[in-house]
Amino acid sequence: MNRAAVLDGIGSCLPPRVVSNGELAATLDTTDEWIVSRTGIRQRHVAAPGTATSDLAVGAGEQALKSSGEPVVDTVVVATTTPDRSCPATAPAVASKLGLTGAAAYDISAVCSGFIYGLATACGLIATGTADRVLVIGAETYSSILNPRDRATSVIFGDGAAAVTLRPGGPDEPGAVGPFDLGSDGNGRDLITVRAGGSEQRLSGVEPAPDDQFFAMAGKEVFWRAVLRMSESAQSVLGRAGLAVDEVDWLVGHQANARILQRLANALGIPPERHIVNIAEVGNTAAASIPLALADAHAAGTLHAGDRVLLTAFGGGLTWGSAVLTWPELDPTTRRSP
Ligand code: COA
């Protein structure tokens, strides 16, 4: 029998401070009405200065390990666009803070597709026997790279982290993850970018141009590409899995914009009642977006063991990816009380 990766734990961590659209409108030329109608976002969580991505990753990782009932993993993967430092990777620090010094630990940089890319590499490690138990975390502090004067990006992104644990198992048991579909198009790398700070625009001791040190996005250009790539990738992974659209119980798309998600669901022919959406409460949390939507849906009791879940994401790079998984029986104490 093929060795597959099986999801057996989940957790999340949001910084406590909630920033409403109204609070943003006090300093930016925007309104609650514009933000809600154009993006579906009502609020986002924002990390306090001094809170690093690893802090949120550790909070989510602790919860996921606890929910799996097994405190040890041999590999930690952190998907993030906002690492603690440009060198070294964030994952080794996360592993050590979780008491997992010695574990293999590395970052995945695929922006909003990062969690699916991370999940794919983790499943590969388990399938080949290189790893037994893997913690995959999506974690972001986008507030550290947003331009506070840019209304087009400041209203969209939020901070947060969420994580899952994986163990070896059979491909047909609840929790089995896969197959995957992954892709990229580097011709679009300028559409979602932070220009300064890498080898292209090197640190010289002199401040880079202000706009270059911050995250920048060509929103309109990104919008239609996100819909197209996610729907193509989702259809391709369903083909690989041999599944028809009506065999999918839940669509979990990257929470980029409620209008993107609506168009994605329409393109796939998935009705709104089978669509998991939490963007109103957390905004776009990039690599944390998909696991956070899963963790919220699990906590709310929406996902049930045996449900077939279709994940699809699109992000900077450009990158995209999709995966299919069967929802497992998870520790019921991680659900919210009704
Ligand atoms: N408040 C008020 N007005 C705003 C605004 C804000 N926060 N942000 C932009 N605008 C203005 C623009 O300046 C523009 O004004 P103009 O017509 O006078 O030039 C107008 O609103 C329309 O801007 P546009 O960019 O066409 O809006 P849009 O409907 O495309 O929505 C985004 C903008 C960013 C919300 C949308 O393009 C989007 O969500 N894109 C994808 C983002 C995404 O998913 N990114 C993550 C990648 S995975």
Side-chain angles (χ1 to χ4, degrees), residues 30 34 38 151 156 217 219-220 256-257 259-260 284 314:
T30 190
W34 192 94
R38 306 308 292 164
R151 66 180 180 173
I156 291 178
M217 180 175 70
K220 238 187 186 17
N257 179 320
R259 286 158 54 228
I260 290 178
N284 178 344
F314 172 89

Side-chain angles (χ1 to χ4, degrees), residues 237-323:
V237 86
L238 288 179
R240 278 182 205 188
L243 287 174
V245 167
D246 52 11
E247 293 176 276
V248 172
D249 295 297
W250 298 107
L251 167 66
V252 183
H254 166 51
Q255 308 287 302
N257 179 320
R259 286 158 54 228
I260 290 178
L261 290 171
Q262 240 162 39
R263 287 185 194 205
L264 168 68
N266 289 347
L268 293 173
I270 295 183
E273 61 274 14
R274 283 165 40 212
H275 195 186
I276 288 172
V277 179
N278 69 344
I279 191 170
E281 292 80 38
V282 295
N284 178 344
T285 56
S289 163
I290 294 238
L292 203 48
L294 289 173
D296 281 356
H298 166 68
T302 308
L303 291 168
H304 296 101
D307 285 355
R308 264 218 191 86
V309 186
L310 169 63
L311 313 178
T312 186
F314 172 89
L318 303 168
T319 56
W320 54 88
S322 301

Side-chain angles (χ1 to χ4, degrees), residues 5-16:
V6 172
L7 193 158
D8 69 353
I10 193 158
S12 64
C13 176
L14 289 167

Side-chain angles (χ1 to χ4, degrees), residues 41-84:
I41 299 166
R42 295 187 179 276
Q43 61 171 49
R44 69 286 296 143
H45 290 249
V46 174
T51 298
T53 292
S54 62
D55 297 317
L56 301 178
V58 167
E62 266 169 2
Q63 239 188 49
L65 291 168
K66 188 162 171 250
S67 103
S68 77
E70 171 58 66
V72 177
V73 295
D74 50 49
T75 304
V76 176
V77 180
V78 175
T80 186
T81 325
T82 49
D84 286 9

Side-chain angles (χ1 to χ4, degrees), residues 191-192 217-227 260 314-315 318:
L191 299 177
I192 298 174
M217 180 175 70
K220 238 187 186 17
E221 282 294 297
V222 168
F223 192 101
W224 67 263
R225 282 179 168 85
V227 176
I260 290 178
F314 172 89
L318 303 168

